[in-house]
Amino acid sequence: MSTSYNDIAGKSVERLAALSDGIFAVAMTLLVLDLHTPAKEAIRTEQDLWHALAAMSPPLITYLMSFLTLGIFWNGQQVQLNCLARADRHVTWIHVAFLFAVSIMPFSTRLLSEFIQYRTALVCYWANAMLLGLVLYLSWGCVSRAGLMKDDTPPEIGKAIVRRIMIGQALYAFGAALCVFDTYASIAFIVLVQLNFAFAPRIRWLSGF
């Protein structure tokens, strides 16, 4: 009896988690490479240094936002992977697509930091975040249909995962929409949402739990 290659491919949850951790680590490290100290030749006084640091605020803000974004989505992916008894080819490729979205985050971050006053740059950044959330949502749908969860996974876990993704993406979309008025207001709202996700999970209607 012959065995299809697709029936044996992409079974290891551990290998998928290891690949994910590596790509997240590289992407989060690449973010900081766009932060450069002020040119020494241009600094003559304390005031010059303060002015130079103030001029660095766009890359610093976008670095913070993107680091939080990747941290939140790393945590979201780990929640899903921790629920899996096994993977299959479809789930593995969905997560590879998710890692593609992770890997382009340094690009969308740099685009936003260099053109922070332009709505197009912010929309591109939001599209990157939307893609991350969409792929995670598709992943859990595939896992649920294929019955790949551990036997002791309660149904409330799946509801919490979906709720978290939907609320998060809705808030990101609202934040992106604020760029119609001002890109800085949009970024400030997104950062506040991220800080809530990271540090204030007890606010249930915002955190999704």
Side-chain angles (χ1 to χ4, degrees):
M1 181 177 178
S2 62
T3 300
S4 170
Y5 179 81
N6 290 340
D7 292 335
I8 61 176
K11 295 288 188 180
S12 176
V13 178
E14 292 76 14
R15 294 295 301 276
L16 182 57
L19 175 63
S20 299
D21 288 345
I23 291 181
F24 268 99
V26 171
M28 295 171 90
T29 301
L30 288 175
L31 292 175
V32 79
L33 296 182
D34 283 332
L35 298 180
H36 304 286
T37 57
K40 189 174 181 180
E41 298 77 14
I43 306 301
R44 294 289 183 269
T45 65
E46 290 279 353
Q47 190 175 20
D48 289 341
L49 182 57
W50 278 111
H51 285 314
L53 291 174
M56 290 178 57
S57 57
L60 284 170
I61 292 170
T62 54
Y63 168 75
L64 170 64
M65 185 167 65
S66 293
F67 198 89
L68 286 171
T69 297
L70 290 178
I72 290 166
F73 279 104
W74 175 84
N75 188 57
Q77 188 201 32
Q78 293 308 302
V79 170
Q80 292 198 20
L81 295 180
N82 288 339
C83 293
L84 294 185
R86 63 191 183 283
D88 64 13
R89 179 178 180 273
H90 303 296
V91 170
T92 296
W93 276 109
I94 289 174
H95 279 271
V96 168
F98 175 76
L99 295 176
F100 163 77
V102 171
S103 70
I104 61 175
M105 181 59 71
F107 166 77
S108 61
T109 301
R110 183 168 187 175
L111 180 69
L112 182 59
S113 69
E114 293 186 357
F115 303 99
I116 197 167
Q117 71 274 27
Y118 293 109
R119 295 170 187 153
T120 300
L122 185 58
V123 169
C124 289
Y125 185 91
W126 167 73
N128 195 167
M130 182 189 68
L131 181 60
L132 287 164
L134 176 62
V135 178
L136 271 190
Y137 180 82
L138 292 175
S139 167
W140 188 252
C142 184
V143 166
S144 301
R145 289 191 299 272
L148 301 175
M149 293 92 72
K150 295 175 181 175
D151 293 336
D152 59 350
T153 302
E156 292 77 15
I157 295 293
K159 294 178 182 178
I161 289 172
V162 171
R163 187 167 62 246
R164 174 80 166 200
I165 294 172
M166 298 299 290
I167 291 176
Q169 290 301 304
L171 290 172
Y172 277 136
F174 179 79
L178 290 177
C179 74
V180 172
F181 305 102
D182 184 76
T183 56
Y184 286 98
S186 179
I187 290 170
F189 179 84
I190 292 173
V191 170
L192 288 175
V193 169
Q194 292 174 325
L195 289 173
N196 172 74
F197 281 160
F199 302 113
R202 282 186 249 179
I203 304 178
R204 299 175 68 90
W205 73 274
L206 281 177
S207 67
F209 288 98

